[in-house]
């Protein structure tokens, strides 16, 4: 057995729904996406909800097992929920989900997990995010983006030097008050619901980490372009709001693009048009949708890998612990992802001389093309 790198604690699969929206451009609109899911809770006896025949006698396509990650370069104007639905249809996948909502007004990386990759979503959501965003100076808005109403305004415009001098205050571990229009719960209610009802709520400051914040462009048009790399829970909209307040000119975000999510880089992103074209070629036998998939284990880049024998793999697959013995047995503890013959088998915990399975993967079906892993090296 061979183990690598340092260990980290395994995350629970069940993540709070608002954690998936921590870095939204304006997460208030995503509530509408969740309410749309209520349409699935129907009374089967209600004649208004009886199943209608398919138009044009089109056959229903059977769903299939598809496992891997697609890093969609989401276009502006599309919700994250809609993007997942489109990819699920293109791949005819049984299961799909995303690792962190990206608002309709934002573009860029939306990692979409298919099949068994959904078990690794928490590892992606806990990773760093990088954004490129534009701040419009002179107005603060109640949503901290272009869709809100103006609450404060100023004729002042900051200089590039004044902005750069302020950025160290917003770098490192800082306290940040979330936007009024955010998914944080206040006495059981989402903050954005209360804000839409006209209520003003006092949201408490929360610690967030900004690893890097730089000014990349500053023009004479009253706008500045920034890049930020931040940890889980950071609101980029709040950065624009707070910088504008200190500078005395006020500000809000008018453009946002996500360029990094956990292990997924901008070079991993694929536009929707390219996916649709690949789907058409695959339907005619000229290609495979597997070429668009990244392996499930791509989300586990920061976790040590442990190779086991086929005999040990059989025990782990049945949910049974494996004793770690011999000179090649790892002397560390913590979370590892387990492989057998180079193939992902499970997420497991090492402790007290045992390897205990926590998540077992069944990768039968469509998976990433063999060359996709090597492309990222």
């Amino acid at each position: 057995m061979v183990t690598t790198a340092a260990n980290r604690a395994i995350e629970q699969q069940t993540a709070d729904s608002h954690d998936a929206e921590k870095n939204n451009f304006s997460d208030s609109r995503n509530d509408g996406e969740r309410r749309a899911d209520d349409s699935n809770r129907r009374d089967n006896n209600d004649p208004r909800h009886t199943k209608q025949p398919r138009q044009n006698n089109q056959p229903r396509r059977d769903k299939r097992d598809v496992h891997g990650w697609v890093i969609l370069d989401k276009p502006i104007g599309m919700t994250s929920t809609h993007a997942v639905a489109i990819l699920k249809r293109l791949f005819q996948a049984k299961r799909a989900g995303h690792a962190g909502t990206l608002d309709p007004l934002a573009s860029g990386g939306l990692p979409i997990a298919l099949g068994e990759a959904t078990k690794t979503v928490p590892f992606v959501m806990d990773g760093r995010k990088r954004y490129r965003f534009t701040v419009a100076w002179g107005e603060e808005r109640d949503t901290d983006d272009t869709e809100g109403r103006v609450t404060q305004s100023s004729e002042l415009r900051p200089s590039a030097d004044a902005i750069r001098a302020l950025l160290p205050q917003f770098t490192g571990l800082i306290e940040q008050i979330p936007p009024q229009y955010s998914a944080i719960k206040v006495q059981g209610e989402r903050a954005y619901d209360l804000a839409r009802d006209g209520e003003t709520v006092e949201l408490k400051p929360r610690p967030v980490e900004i690893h890097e914040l730089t000014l990349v462009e500053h023009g004479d048009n009253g706008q500045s372009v920034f890049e930020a790399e931040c940890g889980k829970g950071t609101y980029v909209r709040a950065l624009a709001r707070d910088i504008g307040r200190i500078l005395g000119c006020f500000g809000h975000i008018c453009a946002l693009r996500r360029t990094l999510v956990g292990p997924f880089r901008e070079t991993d992103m694929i536009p929707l048009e390219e996916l649709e074209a690949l789907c058409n070629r695959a339907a005619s036998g000229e290609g495979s949708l597997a070429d668009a998939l990244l392996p499930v284990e791509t989300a586990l880049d920061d976790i040590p890998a442990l190779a086991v024998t086929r005999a040990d793999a059989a025990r782990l697959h049945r949910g049974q612990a494996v004793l770690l013995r011999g000179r090649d047995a790892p002397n560390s503890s913590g979370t590892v992802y387990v492989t057998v013959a180079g193939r992902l088998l499970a997420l497991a915990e090492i402790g007290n001389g045992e390897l205990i399975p926590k998540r077992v993967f069944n990768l039968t079906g469509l998976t990433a093309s063999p060359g996709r892993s090597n492309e990222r090296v």
Side-chain angles (χ1 to χ4, degrees):
M1 299 181 181
V2 179
T3 187
T4 66
N7 296 291
R8 61 177 274 188
I10 190 167
E11 295 289 342
Q12 294 297 322
Q13 176 64 21
T14 54
D16 187 272
S17 60
H18 78 270
D19 284 342
E21 301 166 2
K22 292 293 178 74
N23 290 306
N24 289 351
F25 184 44
S26 178
D27 43 21
S28 59
R29 271 96 43 202
N30 294 318
D31 184 51
E33 300 172 16
R34 286 189 295 275
R35 284 200 301 268
D37 293 335
D38 291 340
S39 62
N40 294 326
R41 306 185 185 95
R42 294 172 172 172
D43 182 355
N44 292 330
N45 295 320
D46 191 335
R48 295 172 299 175
H49 298 149
T50 55
K51 184 179 291 186
Q52 299 297 317
R54 296 178 65 83
Q55 296 182 352
N56 302 326
N57 295 321
Q58 293 180 350
R60 182 182 296 275
R61 296 197 297 176
D62 292 333
K63 297 294 180 67
R64 59 182 176 177
D65 290 314
V66 183
H67 312 294
W69 285 92
V70 177
I71 316 305
L72 179 67
D73 190 342
K74 189 190 80 64
I76 295 174
M78 178 179 290
T79 68
S80 298
T81 298
H82 188 202
V84 171
I86 290 175
L87 262 70
K88 191 174 181 181
R89 174 179 56 81
L90 287 176
F91 283 84
Q92 300 172 243
K94 292 180 179 179
R95 288 186 296 155
H98 63 72
T101 300
L102 191 59
D103 188 82
L105 293 181
S107 67
L110 180 65
I112 297 178
L114 299 173
E116 294 290 87
T118 56
K119 296 178 179 178
T120 65
V121 163
F123 294 95
V124 177
M125 290 179 59
D126 282 348
R128 294 187 182 188
K129 285 85 175 173
R130 177 173 282 274
Y131 296 91
R132 185 181 180 93
F133 61 98
T134 303
V135 177
W137 304 114
E139 292 181 347
E140 183 174 310
R141 304 197 175 196
D142 57 0
T143 59
D144 299 317
D145 62 26
T146 56
E147 289 203 335
R149 63 180 181 85
V150 177
T151 56
Q152 299 187 85
S153 60
S154 172
E155 296 297 324
L156 295 175
R157 297 296 181 269
S159 67
D161 289 341
I163 295 172
R164 290 193 182 97
L166 187 60
L167 296 186
Q169 295 185 35
F170 292 90
T171 305
L173 192 63
I174 67 171
E175 292 282 317
Q176 184 183 75
I177 299 176
Q180 288 285 312
Y181 283 79
S182 63
I184 292 174
K185 284 188 176 181
V186 180
Q187 295 181 346
E189 297 285 339
R190 296 292 186 187
Y192 50 65
D193 285 330
L194 298 173
R196 279 200 294 263
D197 291 338
E199 296 186 36
T200 300
V201 296
E202 293 294 331
L203 297 177
K204 295 180 180 180
R206 307 186 331 161
V208 298
E209 189 167 11
I210 313 296
H211 303 285
E212 184 180 345
L213 179 61
T214 56
L215 175 67
V216 294
E217 291 181 27
H218 182 74
D220 298 327
N221 60 349
Q223 297 182 356
S224 300
V225 181
F226 297 83
E227 285 189 353
E229 187 169 314
C230 48
K232 181 179 179 180
T234 304
Y235 285 95
V236 180
R237 287 180 289 138
L239 283 176
R241 176 201 66 200
D242 294 342
I243 291 173
R245 286 179 179 178
I246 294 177
L247 291 171
C249 61
F250 306 114
H252 64 276
I253 283 183
C254 60
L256 176 66
R257 178 171 176 80
R258 188 158 65 187
T259 58
L260 176 76
V261 189
F264 302 119
R265 308 180 292 261
E266 200 162 15
T267 53
D268 295 318
M269 299 179 195
I270 180 168
L272 182 58
E273 296 81 4
E274 188 174 331
L275 273 174
E276 291 173 334
L278 180 59
C279 180
N280 292 332
R281 292 196 302 272
S284 61
E286 298 177 1
S288 172
L289 281 173
D291 295 336
L293 291 171
L294 287 172
V296 173
E297 59 267 31
T298 311
L300 309 175
D301 277 357
D302 292 335
I303 300 173
L306 179 67
V308 300
T309 65
R310 293 188 183 275
D312 286 342
R315 289 185 58 84
L316 293 170
H317 195 266
R318 293 193 297 267
Q320 299 171 333
V322 170
L323 289 175
L324 299 175
R325 295 170 295 190
R327 64 180 183 179
D328 293 331
N331 56 9
S332 57
S333 62
T335 302
V336 295
Y337 76 84
V338 182
T339 64
V340 55
R343 187 176 177 85
L344 178 64
L345 172 68
L347 281 165
E349 194 84 7
I350 297 176
N352 298 322
E354 286 188 323
L355 184 63
I356 305 168
K358 297 296 183 181
R359 299 278 188 276
V360 176
F361 297 95
N362 182 7
L363 300 181
T364 301
L366 180 67
T367 58
S369 298
R372 289 311 306 273
S373 295
N374 296 330
E375 291 175 10
R376 305 184 79 253
V377 176

PDB file of all heavy atoms in Angstrom, residues 316-347:
ATOM      1  N   LEU A 316     -13.730  -3.619   1.354  1.00  0.00           N
ATOM      2  CA  LEU A 316     -14.162  -2.222   1.435  1.00  0.00           C
ATOM      3  C   LEU A 316     -15.464  -2.007   0.675  1.00  0.00           C
ATOM      4  O   LEU A 316     -16.339  -1.259   1.114  1.00  0.00           O
ATOM      5  CB  LEU A 316     -13.070  -1.304   0.888  1.00  0.00           C
ATOM      6  CG  LEU A 316     -11.774  -1.233   1.703  1.00  0.00           C
ATOM      7  CD1 LEU A 316     -10.705  -0.491   0.928  1.00  0.00           C
ATOM      8  CD2 LEU A 316     -12.025  -0.542   3.044  1.00  0.00           C
ATOM      9  N   HIS A 317     -15.590  -2.659  -0.471  1.00  0.00           N
ATOM     10  CA  HIS A 317     -16.799  -2.508  -1.283  1.00  0.00           C
ATOM     11  C   HIS A 317     -18.022  -3.025  -0.548  1.00  0.00           C
ATOM     12  O   HIS A 317     -19.145  -2.537  -0.763  1.00  0.00           O
ATOM     13  CB  HIS A 317     -16.625  -3.230  -2.626  1.00  0.00           C
ATOM     14  CG  HIS A 317     -17.645  -2.844  -3.649  1.00  0.00           C
ATOM     15  ND1 HIS A 317     -18.811  -3.545  -3.843  1.00  0.00           N
ATOM     16  CD2 HIS A 317     -17.679  -1.802  -4.523  1.00  0.00           C
ATOM     17  CE1 HIS A 317     -19.514  -2.963  -4.789  1.00  0.00           C
ATOM     18  NE2 HIS A 317     -18.848  -1.904  -5.225  1.00  0.00           N
ATOM     19  N   ARG A 318     -17.823  -3.992   0.331  1.00  0.00           N
ATOM     20  CA  ARG A 318     -18.940  -4.522   1.136  1.00  0.00           C
ATOM     21  C   ARG A 318     -19.172  -3.696   2.398  1.00  0.00           C
ATOM     22  O   ARG A 318     -20.030  -4.031   3.219  1.00  0.00           O
ATOM     23  CB  ARG A 318     -18.660  -5.975   1.532  1.00  0.00           C
ATOM     24  CG  ARG A 318     -18.645  -6.947   0.359  1.00  0.00           C
ATOM     25  CD  ARG A 318     -18.676  -8.391   0.849  1.00  0.00           C
ATOM     26  NE  ARG A 318     -17.491  -8.725   1.633  1.00  0.00           N
ATOM     27  CZ  ARG A 318     -16.396  -9.269   1.136  1.00  0.00           C
ATOM     28  NH1 ARG A 318     -16.323  -9.537  -0.173  1.00  0.00           N
ATOM     29  NH2 ARG A 318     -15.374  -9.565   1.928  1.00  0.00           N
ATOM     30  N   GLY A 319     -18.387  -2.616   2.562  1.00  0.00           N
ATOM     31  CA  GLY A 319     -18.546  -1.777   3.728  1.00  0.00           C
ATOM     32  C   GLY A 319     -17.783  -2.253   4.934  1.00  0.00           C
ATOM     33  O   GLY A 319     -18.016  -1.765   6.047  1.00  0.00           O
ATOM     34  N   GLN A 320     -16.851  -3.193   4.751  1.00  0.00           N
ATOM     35  CA  GLN A 320     -16.091  -3.755   5.859  1.00  0.00           C
ATOM     36  C   GLN A 320     -14.723  -3.081   5.973  1.00  0.00           C
ATOM     37  O   GLN A 320     -14.111  -2.706   4.975  1.00  0.00           O
ATOM     38  CB  GLN A 320     -15.898  -5.271   5.652  1.00  0.00           C
ATOM     39  CG  GLN A 320     -17.214  -6.037   5.592  1.00  0.00           C
ATOM     40  CD  GLN A 320     -17.013  -7.486   5.181  1.00  0.00           C
ATOM     41  OE1 GLN A 320     -16.051  -7.816   4.491  1.00  0.00           O
ATOM     42  NE2 GLN A 320     -17.919  -8.353   5.621  1.00  0.00           N
ATOM     43  N   ALA A 321     -14.258  -2.924   7.198  1.00  0.00           N
ATOM     44  CA  ALA A 321     -12.953  -2.325   7.441  1.00  0.00           C
ATOM     45  C   ALA A 321     -11.843  -3.296   7.059  1.00  0.00           C
ATOM     46  O   ALA A 321     -12.030  -4.514   7.026  1.00  0.00           O
ATOM     47  CB  ALA A 321     -12.813  -1.925   8.905  1.00  0.00           C
ATOM     48  N   VAL A 322     -10.676  -2.725   6.776  1.00  0.00           N
ATOM     49  CA  VAL A 322      -9.505  -3.519   6.388  1.00  0.00           C
ATOM     50  C   VAL A 322      -8.377  -3.206   7.361  1.00  0.00           C
ATOM     51  O   VAL A 322      -8.089  -2.039   7.654  1.00  0.00           O
ATOM     52  CB  VAL A 322      -9.073  -3.187   4.948  1.00  0.00           C
ATOM     53  CG1 VAL A 322      -7.716  -3.816   4.628  1.00  0.00           C
ATOM     54  CG2 VAL A 322     -10.129  -3.650   3.953  1.00  0.00           C
ATOM     55  N   LEU A 323      -7.731  -4.257   7.887  1.00  0.00           N
ATOM     56  CA  LEU A 323      -6.574  -4.067   8.753  1.00  0.00           C
ATOM     57  C   LEU A 323      -5.372  -3.644   7.918  1.00  0.00           C
ATOM     58  O   LEU A 323      -5.117  -4.208   6.846  1.00  0.00           O
ATOM     59  CB  LEU A 323      -6.252  -5.360   9.504  1.00  0.00           C
ATOM     60  CG  LEU A 323      -7.240  -5.777  10.598  1.00  0.00           C
ATOM     61  CD1 LEU A 323      -6.838  -7.133  11.165  1.00  0.00           C
ATOM     62  CD2 LEU A 323      -7.285  -4.718  11.708  1.00  0.00           C
ATOM     63  N   LEU A 324      -4.629  -2.646   8.411  1.00  0.00           N
ATOM     64  CA  LEU A 324      -3.450  -2.158   7.712  1.00  0.00           C
ATOM     65  C   LEU A 324      -2.227  -2.779   8.366  1.00  0.00           C
ATOM     66  O   LEU A 324      -1.874  -2.454   9.503  1.00  0.00           O
ATOM     67  CB  LEU A 324      -3.390  -0.632   7.788  1.00  0.00           C
ATOM     68  CG  LEU A 324      -4.583   0.096   7.150  1.00  0.00           C
ATOM     69  CD1 LEU A 324      -4.486   1.594   7.397  1.00  0.00           C
ATOM     70  CD2 LEU A 324      -4.659  -0.195   5.658  1.00  0.00           C
ATOM     71  N   ARG A 325      -1.589  -3.697   7.640  1.00  0.00           N
ATOM     72  CA  ARG A 325      -0.442  -4.428   8.194  1.00  0.00           C
ATOM     73  C   ARG A 325       0.716  -4.422   7.204  1.00  0.00           C
ATOM     74  O   ARG A 325       0.538  -4.143   6.020  1.00  0.00           O
ATOM     75  CB  ARG A 325      -0.843  -5.873   8.506  1.00  0.00           C
ATOM     76  CG  ARG A 325      -1.891  -6.003   9.607  1.00  0.00           C
ATOM     77  CD  ARG A 325      -2.420  -7.409   9.713  1.00  0.00           C
ATOM     78  NE  ARG A 325      -3.156  -7.795   8.515  1.00  0.00           N
ATOM     79  CZ  ARG A 325      -3.886  -8.911   8.408  1.00  0.00           C
ATOM     80  NH1 ARG A 325      -3.922  -9.757   9.421  1.00  0.00           N
ATOM     81  NH2 ARG A 325      -4.538  -9.178   7.303  1.00  0.00           N
ATOM     82  N   GLY A 326       1.877  -4.753   7.691  1.00  0.00           N
ATOM     83  CA  GLY A 326       3.051  -4.855   6.827  1.00  0.00           C
ATOM     84  C   GLY A 326       3.836  -3.566   6.773  1.00  0.00           C
ATOM     85  O   GLY A 326       3.403  -2.509   7.230  1.00  0.00           O
ATOM     86  N   ARG A 327       5.005  -3.640   6.180  1.00  0.00           N
ATOM     87  CA  ARG A 327       5.899  -2.479   6.155  1.00  0.00           C
ATOM     88  C   ARG A 327       5.386  -1.353   5.276  1.00  0.00           C
ATOM     89  O   ARG A 327       5.798  -0.197   5.425  1.00  0.00           O
ATOM     90  CB  ARG A 327       7.287  -2.911   5.666  1.00  0.00           C
ATOM     91  CG  ARG A 327       7.308  -3.426   4.235  1.00  0.00           C
ATOM     92  CD  ARG A 327       8.713  -3.840   3.822  1.00  0.00           C
ATOM     93  NE  ARG A 327       8.756  -4.264   2.436  1.00  0.00           N
ATOM     94  CZ  ARG A 327       9.863  -4.658   1.824  1.00  0.00           C
ATOM     95  NH1 ARG A 327      11.011  -4.697   2.516  1.00  0.00           N
ATOM     96  NH2 ARG A 327       9.835  -5.025   0.556  1.00  0.00           N
ATOM     97  N   ASP A 328       4.501  -1.671   4.325  1.00  0.00           N
ATOM     98  CA  ASP A 328       3.960  -0.637   3.445  1.00  0.00           C
ATOM     99  C   ASP A 328       2.705   0.013   4.010  1.00  0.00           C
ATOM    100  O   ASP A 328       2.123   0.891   3.384  1.00  0.00           O
ATOM    101  CB  ASP A 328       3.638  -1.218   2.061  1.00  0.00           C
ATOM    102  CG  ASP A 328       4.883  -1.645   1.309  1.00  0.00           C
ATOM    103  OD1 ASP A 328       5.942  -1.028   1.550  1.00  0.00           O
ATOM    104  OD2 ASP A 328       4.798  -2.586   0.498  1.00  0.00           O
ATOM    105  N   ALA A 329       2.264  -0.401   5.177  1.00  0.00           N
ATOM    106  CA  ALA A 329       1.057   0.171   5.772  1.00  0.00           C
ATOM    107  C   ALA A 329       1.322   1.619   6.179  1.00  0.00           C
ATOM    108  O   ALA A 329       2.377   1.922   6.750  1.00  0.00           O
ATOM    109  CB  ALA A 329       0.627  -0.640   6.984  1.00  0.00           C
ATOM    110  N   PRO A 330       0.415   2.531   5.866  1.00  0.00           N
ATOM    111  CA  PRO A 330       0.620   3.935   6.249  1.00  0.00           C
ATOM    112  C   PRO A 330       0.607   4.100   7.760  1.00  0.00           C
ATOM    113  O   PRO A 330      -0.147   3.434   8.468  1.00  0.00           O
ATOM    114  CB  PRO A 330      -0.581   4.647   5.605  1.00  0.00           C
ATOM    115  CG  PRO A 330      -1.617   3.588   5.446  1.00  0.00           C
ATOM    116  CD  PRO A 330      -0.878   2.318   5.178  1.00  0.00           C
ATOM    117  N   ASN A 331       1.448   4.996   8.256  1.00  0.00           N
ATOM    118  CA  ASN A 331       1.502   5.243   9.699  1.00  0.00           C
ATOM    119  C   ASN A 331       0.788   6.538  10.073  1.00  0.00           C
ATOM    120  O   ASN A 331       0.947   7.044  11.173  1.00  0.00           O
ATOM    121  CB  ASN A 331       2.953   5.303  10.187  1.00  0.00           C
ATOM    122  CG  ASN A 331       3.765   6.346   9.431  1.00  0.00           C
ATOM    123  OD1 ASN A 331       3.203   7.137   8.669  1.00  0.00           O
ATOM    124  ND2 ASN A 331       5.064   6.335   9.640  1.00  0.00           N
ATOM    125  N   SER A 332       0.018   7.079   9.141  1.00  0.00           N
ATOM    126  CA  SER A 332      -0.722   8.313   9.382  1.00  0.00           C
ATOM    127  C   SER A 332      -2.185   7.992   9.675  1.00  0.00           C
ATOM    128  O   SER A 332      -2.586   6.824   9.709  1.00  0.00           O
ATOM    129  CB  SER A 332      -0.616   9.235   8.162  1.00  0.00           C
ATOM    130  OG  SER A 332      -1.086   8.556   7.006  1.00  0.00           O
ATOM    131  N   SER A 333      -2.976   9.032   9.893  1.00  0.00           N
ATOM    132  CA  SER A 333      -4.402   8.857  10.116  1.00  0.00           C
ATOM    133  C   SER A 333      -5.144   9.951   9.361  1.00  0.00           C
ATOM    134  O   SER A 333      -4.551  10.945   8.945  1.00  0.00           O
ATOM    135  CB  SER A 333      -4.739   8.920  11.610  1.00  0.00           C
ATOM    136  OG  SER A 333      -4.399  10.183  12.142  1.00  0.00           O
ATOM    137  N   GLY A 334      -6.443   9.756   9.194  1.00  0.00           N
ATOM    138  CA  GLY A 334      -7.250  10.754   8.499  1.00  0.00           C
ATOM    139  C   GLY A 334      -7.916  10.187   7.258  1.00  0.00           C
ATOM    140  O   GLY A 334      -8.048   8.972   7.094  1.00  0.00           O
ATOM    141  N   THR A 335      -8.319  11.076   6.373  1.00  0.00           N
ATOM    142  CA  THR A 335      -9.093  10.707   5.199  1.00  0.00           C
ATOM    143  C   THR A 335      -8.192  10.420   4.002  1.00  0.00           C
ATOM    144  O   THR A 335      -7.245  11.153   3.744  1.00  0.00           O
ATOM    145  CB  THR A 335     -10.074  11.828   4.840  1.00  0.00           C
ATOM    146  OG1 THR A 335     -10.923  12.084   5.955  1.00  0.00           O
ATOM    147  CG2 THR A 335     -10.942  11.436   3.649  1.00  0.00           C
ATOM    148  N   VAL A 336      -8.510   9.378   3.278  1.00  0.00           N
ATOM    149  CA  VAL A 336      -7.823   9.042   2.029  1.00  0.00           C
ATOM    150  C   VAL A 336      -8.876   8.652   1.004  1.00  0.00           C
ATOM    151  O   VAL A 336     -10.002   8.306   1.338  1.00  0.00           O
ATOM    152  CB  VAL A 336      -6.833   7.869   2.205  1.00  0.00           C
ATOM    153  CG1 VAL A 336      -5.703   8.252   3.143  1.00  0.00           C
ATOM    154  CG2 VAL A 336      -7.551   6.623   2.701  1.00  0.00           C
ATOM    155  N   TYR A 337      -8.483   8.756  -0.269  1.00  0.00           N
ATOM    156  CA  TYR A 337      -9.338   8.113  -1.267  1.00  0.00           C
ATOM    157  C   TYR A 337      -8.611   6.869  -1.761  1.00  0.00           C
ATOM    158  O   TYR A 337      -7.402   6.877  -1.998  1.00  0.00           O
ATOM    159  CB  TYR A 337      -9.785   9.064  -2.380  1.00  0.00           C
ATOM    160  CG  TYR A 337      -8.798   9.430  -3.457  1.00  0.00           C
ATOM    161  CD1 TYR A 337      -8.587   8.607  -4.567  1.00  0.00           C
ATOM    162  CD2 TYR A 337      -8.113  10.645  -3.399  1.00  0.00           C
ATOM    163  CE1 TYR A 337      -7.722   8.979  -5.574  1.00  0.00           C
ATOM    164  CE2 TYR A 337      -7.250  11.022  -4.402  1.00  0.00           C
ATOM    165  CZ  TYR A 337      -7.054  10.175  -5.494  1.00  0.00           C
ATOM    166  OH  TYR A 337      -6.183  10.540  -6.494  1.00  0.00           O
ATOM    167  N   VAL A 338      -9.363   5.798  -1.857  1.00  0.00           N
ATOM    168  CA  VAL A 338      -8.809   4.470  -2.080  1.00  0.00           C
ATOM    169  C   VAL A 338      -8.970   4.086  -3.547  1.00  0.00           C
ATOM    170  O   VAL A 338     -10.029   4.295  -4.151  1.00  0.00           O
ATOM    171  CB  VAL A 338      -9.521   3.429  -1.189  1.00  0.00           C
ATOM    172  CG1 VAL A 338      -8.905   2.052  -1.383  1.00  0.00           C
ATOM    173  CG2 VAL A 338      -9.447   3.857   0.280  1.00  0.00           C
ATOM    174  N   THR A 339      -7.906   3.523  -4.103  1.00  0.00           N
ATOM    175  CA  THR A 339      -7.961   3.035  -5.477  1.00  0.00           C
ATOM    176  C   THR A 339      -7.560   1.570  -5.515  1.00  0.00           C
ATOM    177  O   THR A 339      -6.835   1.075  -4.655  1.00  0.00           O
ATOM    178  CB  THR A 339      -7.002   3.832  -6.389  1.00  0.00           C
ATOM    179  OG1 THR A 339      -5.649   3.622  -5.957  1.00  0.00           O
ATOM    180  CG2 THR A 339      -7.313   5.315  -6.350  1.00  0.00           C
ATOM    181  N   VAL A 340      -8.041   0.894  -6.550  1.00  0.00           N
ATOM    182  CA  VAL A 340      -7.641  -0.481  -6.816  1.00  0.00           C
ATOM    183  C   VAL A 340      -7.379  -0.576  -8.317  1.00  0.00           C
ATOM    184  O   VAL A 340      -8.222  -0.198  -9.129  1.00  0.00           O
ATOM    185  CB  VAL A 340      -8.719  -1.497  -6.380  1.00  0.00           C
ATOM    186  CG1 VAL A 340     -10.066  -1.215  -6.998  1.00  0.00           C
ATOM    187  CG2 VAL A 340      -8.266  -2.922  -6.679  1.00  0.00           C
ATOM    188  N   ALA A 341      -6.185  -1.004  -8.664  1.00  0.00           N
ATOM    189  CA  ALA A 341      -5.767  -1.091 -10.074  1.00  0.00           C
ATOM    190  C   ALA A 341      -5.962   0.246 -10.780  1.00  0.00           C
ATOM    191  O   ALA A 341      -6.367   0.304 -11.944  1.00  0.00           O
ATOM    192  CB  ALA A 341      -6.534  -2.198 -10.782  1.00  0.00           C
ATOM    193  N   GLY A 342      -5.686   1.347 -10.060  1.00  0.00           N
ATOM    194  CA  GLY A 342      -5.779   2.672 -10.644  1.00  0.00           C
ATOM    195  C   GLY A 342      -7.177   3.238 -10.742  1.00  0.00           C
ATOM    196  O   GLY A 342      -7.363   4.326 -11.290  1.00  0.00           O
ATOM    197  N   ARG A 343      -8.176   2.546 -10.203  1.00  0.00           N
ATOM    198  CA  ARG A 343      -9.570   2.973 -10.316  1.00  0.00           C
ATOM    199  C   ARG A 343     -10.106   3.376  -8.943  1.00  0.00           C
ATOM    200  O   ARG A 343      -9.864   2.690  -7.948  1.00  0.00           O
ATOM    201  CB  ARG A 343     -10.411   1.829 -10.898  1.00  0.00           C
ATOM    202  CG  ARG A 343     -11.852   2.198 -11.235  1.00  0.00           C
ATOM    203  CD  ARG A 343     -12.531   1.006 -11.897  1.00  0.00           C
ATOM    204  NE  ARG A 343     -13.928   1.246 -12.203  1.00  0.00           N
ATOM    205  CZ  ARG A 343     -14.377   1.839 -13.290  1.00  0.00           C
ATOM    206  NH1 ARG A 343     -13.502   2.271 -14.184  1.00  0.00           N
ATOM    207  NH2 ARG A 343     -15.670   2.017 -13.498  1.00  0.00           N
ATOM    208  N   LEU A 344     -10.823   4.493  -8.896  1.00  0.00           N
ATOM    209  CA  LEU A 344     -11.380   4.984  -7.639  1.00  0.00           C
ATOM    210  C   LEU A 344     -12.347   3.972  -7.051  1.00  0.00           C
ATOM    211  O   LEU A 344     -13.227   3.457  -7.732  1.00  0.00           O
ATOM    212  CB  LEU A 344     -12.115   6.313  -7.882  1.00  0.00           C
ATOM    213  CG  LEU A 344     -12.792   6.953  -6.676  1.00  0.00           C
ATOM    214  CD1 LEU A 344     -11.776   7.359  -5.619  1.00  0.00           C
ATOM    215  CD2 LEU A 344     -13.610   8.167  -7.114  1.00  0.00           C
ATOM    216  N   LEU A 345     -12.182   3.706  -5.745  1.00  0.00           N
ATOM    217  CA  LEU A 345     -13.036   2.732  -5.073  1.00  0.00           C
ATOM    218  C   LEU A 345     -13.854   3.356  -3.950  1.00  0.00           C
ATOM    219  O   LEU A 345     -15.062   3.122  -3.847  1.00  0.00           O
ATOM    220  CB  LEU A 345     -12.186   1.597  -4.491  1.00  0.00           C
ATOM    221  CG  LEU A 345     -12.916   0.589  -3.598  1.00  0.00           C
ATOM    222  CD1 LEU A 345     -13.894  -0.236  -4.420  1.00  0.00           C
ATOM    223  CD2 LEU A 345     -11.934  -0.310  -2.863  1.00  0.00           C
ATOM    224  N   ALA A 346     -13.210   4.169  -3.081  1.00  0.00           N
ATOM    225  CA  ALA A 346     -13.922   4.651  -1.900  1.00  0.00           C
ATOM    226  C   ALA A 346     -13.206   5.835  -1.276  1.00  0.00           C
ATOM    227  O   ALA A 346     -12.025   6.086  -1.535  1.00  0.00           O
ATOM    228  CB  ALA A 346     -14.050   3.522  -0.875  1.00  0.00           C
ATOM    229  N   LEU A 347     -13.957   6.560  -0.458  1.00  0.00           N
ATOM    230  CA  LEU A 347     -13.388   7.481   0.510  1.00  0.00           C
ATOM    231  C   LEU A 347     -13.359   6.742   1.829  1.00  0.00           C
ATOM    232  O   LEU A 347     -14.353   6.104   2.209  1.00  0.00           O
ATOM    233  CB  LEU A 347     -14.238   8.739   0.633  1.00  0.00           C
ATOM    234  CG  LEU A 347     -14.068   9.797  -0.460  1.00  0.00           C
ATOM    235  CD1 LEU A 347     -15.215  10.791  -0.412  1.00  0.00           C
ATOM    236  CD2 LEU A 347     -12.736  10.515  -0.303  1.00  0.00           C
TER     237      LEU A 347
END
